[in-house]
């Protein structure tokens, strides 16, 4: 087996594994599969975590994970798929960051790993065993890489920033309530 074939086979395995995990997470959010909360449960959880509006946030996170994971698995529109999944994971990292790094303590280790892996695949490309290769890379051009990652970064920054502002506002309101009644 040539080195090139090994690399392409490795990319296929990495895409399939990462994509499957992301699809499962998205299915939990969107459909309640695998013990997930479904759209309504996820929307309520998103609101509680400071992502508003909750339902739109749940749909965006679920589609970023499930859609990005499906496209990564297929190796189709790989830059957009990797960027979408990485963007969705940025929101999860923001939620888990206060608990530190390690997943054992509720930290951001796991979503960061998924996000970095999806981003790396999006940047590296899907390899020979992919729909991008079969379609002569119509959806995997240098400009799509830049556009996908720029768009995802801007969207993630906006969503995470709005969440931070919502949390600040809630903390201020709680302090005002304590000062008024304390």
């Amino acid at each position: 087996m040539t080195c090139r074939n090994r690399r392409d086979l490795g990319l296929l395995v990495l895409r399939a594994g990462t994509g499957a995990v992301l699809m499962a997470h998205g299915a939990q959010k969107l459909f309640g599969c695998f013990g997930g909360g479904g759209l309504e449960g996820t929307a309520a959880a998103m609101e509680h975590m400071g992502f508003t509006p909750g339902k739109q946030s749940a749909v965006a996170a679920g589609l970023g994970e499930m859609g990005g994971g499906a496209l990564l698995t297929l190796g189709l529109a790989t830059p957009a798929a990797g960027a979408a999944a990485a963007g969705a994971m940025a929101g999860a990292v923001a939620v888990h960051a206060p608990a530190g790094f390690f997943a054992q303590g509720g930290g951001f280790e796991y979503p960061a790993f998924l996000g970095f892996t999806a981003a790396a695949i999006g940047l590296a490309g899907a390899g020979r065993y992919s729909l991008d290769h079969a379609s002569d890379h119509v959806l995997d051009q240098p400009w799509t890489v830049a556009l996908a990652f720029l768009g995802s970064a801007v969207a993630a920054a906006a969503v995470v920033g709005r969440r931070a502002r919502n949390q600040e506002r809630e903390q201020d309101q709680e302090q005002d309530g304590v000062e008024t009644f304390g």
Side-chain angles (χ1 to χ4, degrees):
M1 183 178 279
T2 68
C3 187
R4 180 178 172 98
N5 289 344
R6 284 180 35 218
R7 186 192 75 216
D8 292 325
L9 186 58
L11 282 168
L12 171 63
V13 171
L14 185 61
R15 285 191 351 256
T18 303
V21 170
L22 286 164
M23 285 189 293
H25 277 280
Q28 286 181 309
K29 289 174 178 63
L30 295 173
F31 308 116
C33 299
F34 313 113
L39 198 51
E40 295 306 316
T42 302
M46 292 292 224
E47 288 275 349
H48 180 64
M49 290 182 277
F51 292 103
T52 57
K55 188 167 188 174
Q56 288 86 338
S57 298
V59 168
L63 288 176
E65 292 174 4
M66 190 165 185
L71 291 172
L72 282 175
T73 300
L74 295 170
L76 180 63
T78 305
M89 291 298 102
V93 166
V95 169
H96 292 277
F101 178 72
F102 291 104
Q104 181 178 1
F108 65 93
E109 170 187 17
Y110 185 64
F113 182 76
L114 282 176
F116 281 121
T117 303
I121 296 168
L123 291 169
R128 177 176 292 190
Y129 308 121
S130 68
L131 291 179
D132 277 341
H133 182 77
S135 67
D136 202 27
H137 299 277
V138 171
L139 300 173
D140 182 13
Q141 299 290 317
W143 66 269
T144 61
V145 174
L147 185 63
F149 280 92
L150 178 64
S152 180
V154 168
V159 169
V160 170
R162 182 172 54 199
R163 174 182 180 262
R165 288 187 299 278
N166 288 346
Q167 288 183 316
E168 258 181 46
R169 191 171 26 255
E170 287 177 16
Q171 287 174 350
D172 289 346
Q173 290 172 349
E174 286 176 12
Q175 284 181 338
D176 289 346
V178 170
E179 290 172 9
T180 304
F181 298 106

